[in-house]
Structures are given as C-alpha cells and as structure tokens.
Amino acid sequence: MLAKRTPLHPPHSKLYSLSSYTFLSQSTTQLNLPPDAYLKVLCLNGRLKEALIEMSILGTDVRFRGYDALITECVNRKALREGELVHSHMIKTHYRAPVYLDTRLLIMYAKCGKLDDAREVFDGMLQRNVVSWTAMISAYSQTGFQSVAVGLFRWMLRTGLFPNEFTLATVLASCIGHLGLEHGRQVHSLVIKNKYNSHVYVGSSLLNMYAKASEIHDARMVFEFLPVRDVVSCTSIISGYAQLNLDNEALEMFRKLYNQGMECNYVTFASLLTALAGLSALEYGKQVHGLVIRRQLPFYIVLQNSMIYMYAKCGSLLYARRVFDYMPERTVISWNAMLVGYGDHGLGREVLCLFKSMRDVKSDAVTYTAVLSGCSHGGLTDEGLGIFYSMVGGKEMEPEIGHYACVIDLLGRAGRIEKALEFIRNMPFEPSIAMWGSLLGACRVHGNVSAGEYVAQRLLSMEPKNAGNYVILSNIYADAGRWEDVVKVREMMKENTVIKEPGKSSINLNKTVHTFRSGDRSHPQKDKVNAKVRELYEKIREVGYSPDLSCVLHDVDDEQKERILLGHSEKLAIAFGLMFSSQGGILRVTKNLRICVDCHNFAKLVSKVTKRELSVRDSKRFHLMANGTCSCGDFW
DNA sequence: TTAGGGTTAG
C-alpha cells in the first residue's frame, strides 16, 4: 500500500483532489506543472513512494529530471532515508544513471554524513568528471580525512583530468600543517600554471594553507597579491596571525582592513577576540563585545565562547562567568572555555563544581584536559587522580596522551616524583617533552636533585636548545648549593648554542599596550623605569629579598648577573605600571614565557611593600600576588 | 552538481 498522505494543499485546491493513483502525465497536464516540479511537491508532502511508483513508468528523460528533483530535495533537507529510497529505486528499476546523477547521489550521501556510502557510489561510477572528484575530495576534507583528500586529488591528476578552481580551493584546504606544506606548494605551482592565481576562493585557501604551516610571510604575500578581497580572505589573514600568537599583527591588520571598509562577520570577530585575549587587551575586548551585540551577528554562540575565553585570559573571570551564565544555549566549547578560565587562575574547586554541573552537553577530551589541569593548578591532587582513573575503563572517554601528561603534572606537584616516574614507565605512550618539562619543574619545587638530573637528561636530549630547561636545572643545583654544577649547566648551554626566546612583558594602561623586552634599551622612558625597578629592589631587600643568581646563565660576575635580573621584562612592566597607574587597582602584566623564580620572588615582595595586587599572566597560568604570596603556591 | 576563513586544550 501507499504511504499515508499528509495534505499540503487545502481541500479547494486542484492538487488536493488528485488521487495518489493519478499518473504523472495526467497530473502534469491538469495542473500545467512540469513533471519534476510535481514530483518535488509529492516529495515535500512525504509522498516520496508515490512519486517513485509514478516514475517507474516514465521515459528516460523525464526520469532523469525527476530523480534530479528528488535528490536535490533530499540534499536540501539532509533527508538520508528518502535519499536511500531514491537510490534503491534507481537500482531496482535498472536505471542507468548518467555521471551527473551518480554525482548527485554521492553529494547526497556526503551531505548526510554518510562518507562510506558516498565513496561506494564514487567507486562504482563507470565515468567520473571533475565535479565527482571534487565532491568526493571535499567530503573527505570536511570530515577531517585530509590525507585521504590529498591522496584522491593525486589520483585524479594521474587520470589526466584537470582540476578546476573548486578542486584547487578544496585540496588546498586539505594541505594542513607542516606535512601538508610540501604538497601545498606543488598545488600552488599548479594554481600559477593554470592562471587561477587571482581567484579569491583559491587565494584565501592558499593563504590559509601557508598560515597554518607557520609560513606567515608567504600567506601575507598571497594576500597582498589578491586583486579582489572578500570577508573570508581578510578574515583568513587576521586569523593566520592570531593562531600563530602574532596578536599585535592580527590587531593591526584588523584595524587597517576595518578602516578600509572590510566586511566583518562572526568568524572575523572570533579571530579578533583570540588576538585580544593574547594581548590581555580587556578594553578592546569590551569594545568588540559591544560591537557584536549591536550588529546582532548570527552564530552568536561562537562569539560568546570567544568572549568567555577573552575575558578569562584578560583576568576578568567575573565578566567571563557573566557571559557564560546569560547564554541561552551552550556548547561543550562554552563549558571548556569557562573551565580553562578557572583552571588558569588556580581555582580548582570552581573547576570541579562547574564540571559536576555540566548538563545537556557531552564532555570531550578538552573538557577532561581542562579539569585535570585545573585540579593540578588548584592543588587538588586526589580529586584529579580520581577523575583520571574514572576515565580509564570508563565508558565516557578513554584517556589520551594529554590526559596522561596532566596526571604526571598532578603527581609532580604533590611531590610524588617517584610515583610520576613509575607512571611514565607504565603508560601506553612514549613520554613527551611536556611531560619531562613539567616533571623538571616539580623537581625544582620539591628540591629533588637526583630525579631532576635524570629528568633533565631526558628532556635536554629531546629539546637541547630550550634555554628554560637549563635555567630550571641551574635553579635545582643552586638551591642545593651545588655551584660547580651550576657552572657545568652554563657550559652545557654554551656547547649547545642555545638560543633563548626573548622575554617580553606587556601591560595595558589607558587603552594602550606597553611592551617591554628583557634588558629593554629602546623604551622612551627606560631611565625612569630602571630607576623605579632599582627603588623597588632596595625596598624589598629590607623585607628579605635576595636575587636568585641561578636564573642567569651568562658567564659574568655576580654584579652583572644582578643587573641582568633587574632588566627582566616583567620587572620593567611592573615598575612602569606602578609609576603610571592610579592607586588601588590590580596591576595586570602579561608575559610571553614562564615567569622565572627571581621575578616571582620580586613580584610577591613588591605586592607586599607597595600594598598593590599584581596579576602576572605567564605562558602557562595566572599568578595573583597579594601581600607577599602568590595564588600558584609557588608551584608553576 | 563541486570551493575558501572560526570559538575551548596542548
């Protein structure tokens, strides 16, 4: 029997009076409707089976148009079940589908998330055109199977078919990261050869490919040579900078393009907010918040997620939570951003409380990383371990390597270094740089020299050019009074020609970002700032400060070491902030690297003698210093 | 018929 009908038309309309047994030819004559339009009407009314029965008796040409209309309807409505019915009807009636219709079927399956079925159609095609290939490549690209997409593209080239601008834009989006770069460059030469170089879709895909591979200069070149720019190409270059932590460049690019009248949408603002979070630019962030509310942009939920992140990274948990609380709907990203915010501030209890109240959304790997790292930063060792072990063997989420790294951090922080080493020996992964790095920090905090040496040996073999590792090892030796070993570390560093990433700290005052570099000699106020650092230094000496010379690994005398320490960028930024800010407010400094032991001591004691609260956001977390103590409990 | 940019962690 035929499926029950749901009438679309009121009883007085001609369509309503048609019986389901009325043949298509008759219906179309009566209604003066083309057959494909009539079939579409039936399909829209849930009468697909009737439509298919009527199709069986039609001529090839009408069937082609009919199937096309039906598949289009299924694609538009992502109606997989109906699409499958159309497909099986084609098979059952031995209909020989032309390339076009097979491609439409492939697209239907891909849009309904049935990648394997799409591939089956693709593999079964006797002939394929550039659209079939592009649709299949795109299906893989959009579902995260980038290498399969690239492999398919290479196969397509071998068949002698020529890619068009659709294919090139798609495949470039699949050449992601450093591994994709080599192939991406080859595609770029194909783009030039085929004179698609000025195509705005191909161009934005190309510049994005370079930006994702950290080749920002090439990305910029492509952008500059685009004859036409649109919202996507402009957003791509801004997000390219932001994702490489080139936040100032991202902001400058946005300002320039905005003044030139660029179109902005929610993706543009989401990328901009990432850059503002990196700059701790709270005032700008608030302005963007106001702007996006006024514009009533679609996909506001994505922007709210970005704003939670921005406010938390700017040290304003209150605003972050306000945005979170007022969201009518949240995604797992909203929860994760809020959890990360609390974790960055060392608020372990708030992390756990929020995690336990998660409803309506399923936690993902990021959630667990945020919770475990939040427990670690908040000193909740047992709670964190409990959560990890509930993951092992649990149904919700199998722990990944990053979660194992969090456990090592948890154990290290609690001083259970041997346990952490045992955990590393038994885990199903090779230990990573991050794991050894966090354990080395733990050895410093807990004064474990022998484990520190063991860990440092492994870490330095994997990462011999990171100056921070040598500094921590030197701190470990210095704390144990092993000065000869401090010298040895310095020599090791020299042998490995270690290049230290320059330390950089910034402070926002009066809507201006003031940035200081280590030993800054170029700042216009350098003399006054240095004098202020010296003044603070004298004051805190009276309450017990002594410089930690093991933080300096240059081969110079102690006096020179002290001078180097006093030139550290966070000290300059703190001094500048004290000179030019009004009394009472929190002084917020942001640093690109981890804060060193000496600057940490300095900042704590400055908070005591000046009675000012200091917030130092380093590359890992927030340090809130008040009256001589820090929220990190001296562990970082 | 087929195409490009985005939000949370590390």
Side-chain angles (χ1 to χ4, degrees), chain A residues 64 67-68 71 75 86-87 90-91 95-110 117-129 131-133 135-136:
Chain A
F64 169 79
Y67 281 136
D68 186 24
I71 296 170
V75 170
V86 177
H87 189 188
M90 287 163 81
I91 296 168
Y95 177 73
R96 292 186 61 172
V99 181
Y100 172 89
L101 274 188
D102 270 343
T103 307
R104 298 291 292 141
L105 277 173
L106 184 167
I107 293 162
M108 183 275 295
Y109 281 121
D117 292 328
R119 182 59 190 257
E120 212 177 303
V121 174
F122 179 82
D123 286 341
M125 288 170 78
L126 298 174
Q127 266 190 317
R128 302 179 192 111
N129 61 19
V131 180
S132 339
W133 283 94
M136 198 64 240

Side-chain angles (χ1 to χ4, degrees), chain A residues 198-245:
Chain A
S198 58
H199 192 280
V200 70
Y201 277 64
V202 178
S204 51
S205 199
L206 196 53
L207 86 83
N208 194 51
M209 184 271 291
Y210 281 123
K212 289 252 165 56
S214 309
E215 299 286 338
I216 195 70
H217 294 296
D218 287 341
R220 181 64 183 264
M221 286 284 275
V222 174
F223 181 72
E224 293 298 334
F225 281 101
L226 277 179
V228 180
R229 291 170 180 173
D230 66 0
V231 60
V232 176
S233 48
C234 289
T235 303
S236 294
I237 192 70
I238 294 166
S239 78
Y241 281 121
Q243 284 171 10
L244 292 169
N245 299 321

